[in-house]
Amino acid sequence: MGKEYKFPDGFWWGSASSAPQMEGASNEDGKGMNIYDYWYAKEPERFYNKVGPDVATDFYHRYKEDIKLMKEIGHNSFRTSISWSRLIPNGVGEINEKAVDFYNNVIDEMIANGIEPFINLFHFDMPLELQKKGGWENRDVVEAYANYAKTCFELFGNKVKMWFTFNEPIVPAAEGYLYGVHYPNIVDFKRAIQVAYNTVLAQAKAIKAFRELKIKDAKIGVILNLYPIYPRSNHPADLKAAKIADLLFNRSFLDPSIKGEYPTELIELLEEYNLLPFVEKEDKELIKNNVIDILGVNYYQPKRVKAKEHLPNPHSPIMPEWFFDYYEMPGRRMNVYRGWEIYEKGIYDVLMRIKNEYGNIPCFVSENGMGVQDEERFIKNGIIQDDYRIEFIKEHLKWVHKAIEEGCNVKGYHVWTFIDNWSWINAFKNRYGLVSLDLKTLKRTIKKSGYWYKELSQNNGFVD
Ligand code: BGP
């Protein structure tokens, strides 16, 4: 008999996904285009095997079957997002009644099956009409988002009690405007910072609207991809590298979301390199007064950094990597399919930091999971035998358990994800689901990890 890992009563067990990654029906029932629909139509070759978001997992048509499956594999909660461009096709103005019906049906179906809906408002999917107006760089879009958020609270607030402003708001800024990976494929640090700042502002405005509506028993939070950042050594130059990476990748969203203000060191750094965003005088007060109730932590991998080996080319566009190099720790373990390091203790380090430096605010693991390619090779008796995924989840949960034992206010754990879903430029390359999806027939089959997850949830823990 091994050790027993029991979790607190009422612990959330479930998974997370998002509208653009599962709904499909991207051109049905009055949905407007978002930037991914548009980018795929324009440059399909940028997506793995040229598969776009038009069908995804077809949740739009199969939500009843899927919610039943969620229940079957032990979900008591599930996060998805509302597609802004489905609800308000132009981003502002008219509401699409068919979308209202769809989201009401999904929410009702989840509640009827004992699954608490966690609803996120934005998962990278800017309505195209608003992108044409400058997207997050434009303050009118910030206003439009606040109105959209208010509309969602009014429409669904009577049944949804867990709200999230953004999933990984740093991603549209960094991947879209700095590294050129996501649409609109721009490389410009200063513009990326403006985007990041405007999303923080948008969040504050949404929270303000949320508080004014005084929705009974409802909470609002944000979901951040946080990284434990480990320096190569204790040499001051390595420590400085880690500190800057932390300011840019963690504290840029953590501090304003929880403490209501930006770290002084971050402001000074940006000022020194002429990267400060445009701000209005009244923003500061707004951000200060509208902070979150709960934090979702997405954790996949740590960042390891060291002092730079070489001076950056002064004629190249300034990048975060002007301040540090990535460090490949000898002996690190990799998920080779995704190219991400597996380091389970990282989740504990992040959670303990939230406890010690961010007032032990209620939090939960909002994404954690393992994407593996060509999983059909593991099929035995018709089921994918994904023992590696069970192992991955277990080893992370042991560290979550330890953080809870040491007083961290962790409320739940959500796997990424319920069913193999569509992912941005990687499309269906890496499979993350507890349930597999046959891309040709759209047939769903529970994987070994799905059955295991059911037991985990039923026992509120596991023995290992
Ligand atoms: C997170 C995103 C998800 C999801 C996941 C897996 O960053 O919130 O949308 O996609 O990562 O990453 P990927 O799909 O890139 O392998």
Coordinates of all heavy atoms in Angstrom, one line a residue, residues 159-200:
K159 N -26.9 31.9 -13.7 CA -26.6 30.4 -13.5 C -25.0 30.2 -13.4 O -24.6 29.2 -12.9 CB -27.0 29.6 -14.7 CG -28.0 30.2 -15.6 CD -28.5 29.2 -16.6 CE -29.3 30.0 -17.7 NZ -29.9 29.2 -18.7
V160 N -24.2 31.1 -14.0 CA -22.8 30.9 -13.9 C -22.2 31.7 -12.8 O -22.4 32.9 -12.7 CB -22.1 31.4 -15.3 CG1 -20.6 31.3 -15.2 CG2 -22.6 30.6 -16.4
K161 N -21.5 30.9 -11.9 CA -21.0 31.6 -10.7 C -19.4 31.8 -10.8 O -18.8 32.4 -9.9 CB -21.3 30.8 -9.4 CG -22.9 30.7 -9.3 CD -23.5 32.0 -9.2 CE -25.0 32.0 -9.3 NZ -25.7 33.3 -9.6
M162 N -18.8 31.1 -11.7 CA -17.3 31.2 -11.9 C -17.0 31.9 -13.2 O -17.2 31.2 -14.2 CB -16.7 29.8 -11.8 CG -16.8 29.2 -10.4 SD -16.0 30.1 -9.1 CE -14.3 29.9 -9.7
W163 N -16.5 33.1 -13.1 CA -16.2 33.8 -14.4 C -14.7 34.1 -14.5 O -14.0 34.4 -13.4 CB -17.0 35.2 -14.3 CG -18.4 35.0 -14.5 CD1 -19.4 34.9 -13.5 CD2 -19.1 35.0 -15.8 NE1 -20.6 34.8 -14.1 CE2 -20.5 34.8 -15.4 CE3 -18.7 35.0 -17.1 CZ2 -21.5 34.7 -16.4 CZ3 -19.7 34.9 -18.1 CH2 -21.1 34.8 -17.7
F164 N -14.2 34.2 -15.7 CA -12.8 34.5 -15.9 C -12.7 35.6 -17.0 O -13.4 35.4 -18.1 CB -12.0 33.3 -16.3 CG -12.0 32.3 -15.1 CD1 -13.0 31.3 -15.0 CD2 -11.1 32.5 -14.0 CE1 -13.0 30.5 -13.9 CE2 -11.2 31.7 -12.9 CZ -12.1 30.7 -12.9
T165 N -11.9 36.6 -16.8 CA -11.8 37.6 -17.8 C -11.0 37.2 -19.0 O -11.4 37.5 -20.2 CB -11.1 38.8 -17.2 OG1 -9.8 38.4 -16.7 CG2 -11.9 39.5 -16.1
F166 N -9.9 36.5 -18.8 CA -9.0 36.1 -19.9 C -8.4 34.8 -19.6 O -8.1 34.5 -18.4 CB -7.9 37.1 -20.1 CG -8.3 38.4 -20.7 CD1 -8.6 39.5 -19.9 CD2 -8.3 38.5 -22.1 CE1 -9.0 40.7 -20.5 CE2 -8.6 39.8 -22.7 CZ -9.0 40.8 -21.8
N167 N -8.0 34.0 -20.6 CA -7.1 32.9 -20.5 C -5.8 33.4 -21.1 O -5.7 33.9 -22.2 CB -7.6 31.7 -21.3 CG -6.5 30.6 -21.4 OD1 -6.4 29.9 -20.4 ND2 -5.8 30.5 -22.5
E168 N -4.7 33.3 -20.3 CA -3.4 33.6 -20.7 C -3.3 34.9 -21.5 O -2.9 34.9 -22.7 CB -2.8 32.5 -21.5 CG -2.8 31.1 -20.7 CD -2.0 30.0 -21.5 OE1 -1.6 30.2 -22.6 OE2 -1.7 29.0 -20.8
P169 N -3.7 36.0 -20.9 CA -3.7 37.3 -21.7 C -2.3 37.7 -22.3 O -2.2 38.5 -23.2 CB -4.2 38.3 -20.7 CG -4.0 37.7 -19.3 CD -4.1 36.3 -19.5
I170 N -1.2 37.1 -21.7 CA 0.1 37.4 -22.2 C 0.3 36.8 -23.6 O 1.1 37.3 -24.4 CB 1.2 36.9 -21.3 CG1 2.5 37.7 -21.6 CG2 1.4 35.4 -21.4 CD1 3.6 37.5 -20.5
V171 N -0.5 35.8 -23.9 CA -0.3 35.1 -25.2 C -0.6 35.9 -26.5 O 0.2 36.1 -27.4 CB -1.0 33.7 -25.2 CG1 -1.0 33.1 -26.6 CG2 -0.2 32.7 -24.3
P172 N -1.8 36.5 -26.5 CA -2.1 37.4 -27.7 C -1.0 38.5 -27.8 O -0.7 38.9 -28.9 CB -3.5 38.0 -27.4 CG -4.1 37.0 -26.5 CD -3.0 36.4 -25.6
A173 N -0.6 39.0 -26.6 CA 0.4 40.1 -26.7 C 1.8 39.6 -27.2 O 2.3 40.1 -28.2 CB 0.6 40.7 -25.3
A174 N 2.3 38.5 -26.6 CA 3.6 38.0 -26.9 C 3.6 37.2 -28.2 O 4.5 37.5 -29.1 CB 4.1 37.2 -25.7
E175 N 2.7 36.3 -28.3 CA 2.8 35.5 -29.6 C 2.2 36.3 -30.8 O 2.7 36.0 -31.9 CB 2.0 34.2 -29.4 CG 2.4 33.3 -28.2 CD 3.9 32.9 -28.3 OE1 4.4 32.7 -29.5 OE2 4.6 32.8 -27.3
G176 N 1.3 37.2 -30.5 CA 0.7 37.9 -31.7 C 1.5 39.2 -32.1 O 1.6 39.5 -33.3
Y177 N 2.2 39.8 -31.1 CA 2.8 41.1 -31.4 C 4.3 41.2 -31.2 O 5.0 42.2 -31.4 CB 2.1 42.2 -30.6 CG 0.7 42.5 -31.1 CD1 -0.3 41.7 -30.7 CD2 0.5 43.5 -32.0 CE1 -1.6 42.0 -31.1 CE2 -0.8 43.8 -32.4 CZ -1.8 43.1 -32.0 OH -3.1 43.3 -32.4
L178 N 4.9 40.1 -30.6 CA 6.3 40.1 -30.2 C 7.1 39.0 -31.0 O 8.1 39.3 -31.5 CB 6.4 40.0 -28.7 CG 7.8 40.0 -28.1 CD1 8.5 41.3 -28.4 CD2 7.7 39.8 -26.6
Y179 N 6.6 37.8 -30.9 CA 7.3 36.7 -31.5 C 6.7 36.3 -32.9 O 7.2 35.4 -33.6 CB 7.3 35.5 -30.6 CG 8.0 35.7 -29.3 CD1 7.3 35.7 -28.1 CD2 9.4 36.0 -29.3 CE1 8.0 35.9 -26.9 CE2 10.0 36.2 -28.1 CZ 9.3 36.2 -26.9 OH 10.0 36.4 -25.7
G180 N 5.6 36.9 -33.3 CA 5.1 36.7 -34.6 C 4.5 35.3 -34.9 O 4.4 34.9 -36.0
V181 N 4.2 34.6 -33.8 CA 3.7 33.2 -34.0 C 2.2 33.2 -34.2 O 1.8 32.4 -35.1 CB 4.0 32.4 -32.7 CG1 3.5 31.0 -32.8 CG2 5.6 32.4 -32.4
H182 N 1.4 34.0 -33.5 CA 0.0 34.0 -33.7 C -0.4 35.3 -34.5 O 0.4 36.2 -34.6 CB -0.7 34.1 -32.3 CG -0.7 32.8 -31.6 ND1 -1.5 32.7 -30.4 CD2 -0.1 31.6 -31.8 CE1 -1.3 31.4 -30.0 NE2 -0.5 30.8 -30.8
Y183 N -1.6 35.2 -35.1 CA -2.1 36.4 -35.8 C -2.1 37.6 -34.8 O -2.5 37.4 -33.7 CB -3.5 36.1 -36.3 CG -3.9 37.0 -37.4 CD1 -3.4 36.9 -38.7 CD2 -4.8 38.1 -37.1 CE1 -3.8 37.8 -39.6 CE2 -5.1 39.0 -38.0 CZ -4.6 38.9 -39.3 OH -5.0 39.8 -40.3
P184 N -1.8 38.8 -35.2 CA -1.4 39.3 -36.5 C 0.1 39.2 -36.9 O 0.5 40.0 -37.8 CB -1.9 40.7 -36.5 CG -1.8 41.2 -35.1 CD -2.0 39.9 -34.2
N185 N 0.8 38.3 -36.3 CA 2.2 38.0 -36.7 C 3.1 39.2 -36.8 O 3.9 39.4 -37.7 CB 2.2 37.4 -38.1 CG 1.2 36.2 -38.2 OD1 0.2 36.4 -38.9 ND2 1.4 35.2 -37.5
I186 N 3.0 40.0 -35.7 CA 3.9 41.2 -35.7 C 5.1 41.0 -34.7 O 5.0 40.2 -33.8 CB 3.0 42.4 -35.2 CG1 2.0 42.8 -36.3 CG2 3.8 43.6 -34.7 CD1 0.9 43.7 -35.9
V187 N 6.2 41.7 -35.0 CA 7.3 41.6 -34.1 C 7.7 43.1 -33.7 O 8.3 43.8 -34.4 CB 8.6 41.0 -34.8 CG1 9.8 41.0 -33.9 CG2 8.3 39.5 -35.2
D188 N 7.1 43.4 -32.5 CA 7.3 44.8 -32.1 C 7.0 44.9 -30.6 O 5.9 44.9 -30.1 CB 6.3 45.7 -32.8 CG 6.6 47.2 -32.5 OD1 6.9 47.5 -31.4 OD2 6.4 48.0 -33.5
F189 N 8.1 44.9 -29.8 CA 8.0 44.8 -28.3 C 7.1 45.9 -27.8 O 6.3 45.7 -26.9 CB 9.4 45.0 -27.7 CG 9.6 44.4 -26.4 CD1 10.9 44.2 -25.8 CD2 8.5 44.0 -25.6 CE1 11.1 43.6 -24.6 CE2 8.7 43.4 -24.3 CZ 10.0 43.3 -23.8
K190 N 7.3 47.1 -28.3 CA 6.5 48.3 -27.7 C 5.0 48.1 -28.0 O 4.2 48.3 -27.1 CB 7.0 49.6 -28.4 CG 6.5 50.8 -27.6 CD 7.2 52.1 -28.1 CE 6.5 53.3 -27.6 NZ 7.0 53.8 -26.3
R191 N 4.7 47.6 -29.2 CA 3.2 47.4 -29.5 C 2.7 46.2 -28.6 O 1.6 46.2 -28.1 CB 3.0 47.1 -31.0 CG 3.2 48.3 -31.8 CD 3.1 48.1 -33.3 NE 1.8 47.7 -33.7 CZ 1.5 47.3 -34.9 NH1 2.4 47.3 -35.9 NH2 0.3 47.0 -35.3
A192 N 3.5 45.2 -28.4 CA 3.1 44.1 -27.6 C 2.8 44.5 -26.1 O 1.9 44.1 -25.5 CB 4.2 43.0 -27.5
I193 N 3.6 45.5 -25.7 CA 3.4 46.0 -24.3 C 2.1 46.8 -24.3 O 1.3 46.7 -23.3 CB 4.6 46.8 -23.8 CG1 5.7 45.8 -23.5 CG2 4.3 47.7 -22.6 CD1 7.1 46.4 -23.3
Q194 N 1.8 47.5 -25.3 CA 0.5 48.3 -25.4 C -0.6 47.3 -25.3 O -1.6 47.5 -24.6 CB 0.5 49.1 -26.6 CG -0.7 50.1 -26.6 CD -0.6 51.2 -25.6 OE1 0.4 51.9 -25.6 NE2 -1.5 51.3 -24.6
V195 N -0.5 46.2 -26.1 CA -1.6 45.2 -26.1 C -1.7 44.6 -24.7 O -2.9 44.5 -24.2 CB -1.2 44.1 -27.1 CG1 -2.1 42.8 -26.9 CG2 -1.4 44.6 -28.5
A196 N -0.6 44.3 -24.0 CA -0.7 43.7 -22.7 C -1.3 44.6 -21.7 O -2.2 44.3 -20.9 CB 0.7 43.3 -22.2
Y197 N -0.9 45.9 -21.8 CA -1.5 46.9 -20.9 C -3.0 47.1 -21.1 O -3.8 47.1 -20.2 CB -0.7 48.2 -21.1 CG -1.3 49.3 -20.2 CD1 -1.0 49.4 -18.9 CD2 -2.2 50.3 -20.8 CE1 -1.6 50.4 -18.1 CE2 -2.7 51.3 -20.0 CZ -2.4 51.3 -18.6 OH -3.0 52.3 -17.8
N198 N -3.4 47.1 -22.4 CA -4.8 47.3 -22.7 C -5.6 46.2 -22.2 O -6.8 46.3 -21.9 CB -5.0 47.6 -24.2 CG -4.6 49.1 -24.5 OD1 -4.1 49.8 -23.6 ND2 -4.7 49.4 -25.8
T199 N -5.1 45.0 -22.2 CA -5.9 43.8 -21.7 C -6.0 43.9 -20.2 O -7.1 43.5 -19.7 CB -5.3 42.5 -22.2 OG1 -3.9 42.4 -21.9 CG2 -5.5 42.2 -23.6
V200 N -5.0 44.4 -19.5 CA -5.1 44.6 -18.1 C -6.2 45.6 -17.8 O -7.1 45.4 -16.9 CB -3.8 45.0 -17.5 CG1 -3.9 45.5 -16.1 CG2 -2.8 43.8 -17.5

